[in-house]
Amino acid sequence: MAAKVQRSTVDLSSFPDLVVIYLGMRVRTLAGVKTVFSFGPKIKAAVDAKPEGLLLHENVFYSLFPLHAGMRQYWRDFASLENWSRSLPHQLWWKNFLQNSGGVGFWHETYFARGGMEAIYDDLSHPIGFAAFAPTHPAQGPMFNARKRLGLSGEPTIPAPVEEKSS
């Protein structure tokens, strides 16, 4: 006799400002394999430091060919995620990546419990996620940072690690 399926759900009422972010690195060149694997220990150390507001971090494997790996993170609120992404070590990773992608494409898609979604795709050879079905625009002006892509009011408490450049 088959075992009965155990079903459960969650009460997220204690997390009204919950933010879920999926991130990925997709290999574009042979050098990208090294780049992807070099980030494992760095990301583990960053998560082990228990950033303020990070509720859960999970590694995700998207595909073997092309190699495409990433993570899913749950954050208490957008301010926590935004502050962490503008601080070290992430600040340095972002600056370095924008100077040289290391043979990988990077992306993130962010989902908000109160509504709204935003995404960024850098150096990807093929569209994925939202970019596979929705129009894309250069990440300039109001599309330069997540706060503005979401249409949120106010200014970040920490300045952006990189300056917007016009193309």
Side-chain angles (χ1 to χ4, degrees), residues 2 8 17 19 24 29 36 38-39 46 57 64 76-78 88-89 91 108 114 121 124 130 149 155:
S8 62
D17 297 317
V19 176
T29 68
V36 167
S38 74
F39 267 89
H57 167 93
L64 184 57
R76 180 185 62 231
D77 52 42
F78 179 72
L88 293 173
Q91 177 190 84
H108 81 239
R114 291 191 186 267
Y121 306 96
L124 290 170
F130 298 143
R149 286 191 296 271
E155 292 297 320

Side-chain angles (χ1 to χ4, degrees), residues 9 13 29 31 39 46 57 59-60 75 82 90 124:
T9 187
S13 60
T29 68
F39 267 89
H57 167 93
N59 293 319
V60 177
W75 289 83
E82 183 180 50
H90 186 273
L124 290 170

Side-chain angles (χ1 to χ4, degrees), residues 2-3 14 18 22 55 59-60 69 73 75 82 87-89 96 99 105 112 117 121-122 128 141 145 149 151-152 156:
S14 296
L18 183 69
Y22 283 78
L55 303 171
N59 293 319
V60 177
Q73 295 180 334
W75 289 83
E82 183 180 50
S87 302
L88 293 173
N96 290 342
Q99 291 174 358
F112 300 81
M117 296 176 258
Y121 306 96
D122 295 315
I128 62 170
N145 70 53
R149 286 191 296 271
L152 297 177

Side-chain angles (χ1 to χ4, degrees), residues 26-44:
R26 189 178 204 176
V27 170
R28 293 184 307 99
T29 68
L30 191 55
V33 174
K34 180 181 175 190
T35 300
V36 167
F37 284 110
S38 74
F39 267 89
K42 295 173 188 177
I43 292 168
K44 181 179 181 336

Side-chain angles (χ1 to χ4, degrees), residues 132-144:
F133 62 85
T136 60
H137 303 280
Q140 298 172 338
M143 302 302 276
F144 183 66

Side-chain angles (χ1 to χ4, degrees), residues 55-148:
L55 303 171
L56 179 66
H57 167 93
E58 299 172 317
N59 293 319
V60 177
F61 181 75
Y62 297 105
S63 70
L64 184 57
F65 187 78
L67 180 58
H68 187 180
M71 63 204 84
R72 174 176 54 210
Q73 295 180 334
Y74 299 84
W75 289 83
R76 180 185 62 231
D77 52 42
F78 179 72
S80 297
L81 172 57
E82 183 180 50
N83 287 342
W84 185 83
S85 71
R86 290 168 174 255
S87 302
L88 293 173
H90 186 273
Q91 177 190 84
L92 185 58
W93 300 342
W94 187 5
K95 282 181 180 179
N96 290 342
F97 177 82
L98 291 176
Q99 291 174 358
N100 179 353
S101 70
V104 299
F106 172 81
W107 62 273
H108 81 239
E109 293 181 347
T110 315
Y111 311 89
F112 300 81
R114 291 191 186 267
M117 296 176 258
E118 68 84 24
I120 193 79
Y121 306 96
D122 295 315
D123 239 8
L124 290 170
S125 52
H126 302 313
I128 62 170
F130 298 143
F133 62 85
T136 60
H137 303 280
Q140 298 172 338
M143 302 302 276
F144 183 66
N145 70 53
R147 176 178 290 275
K148 291 179 183 172

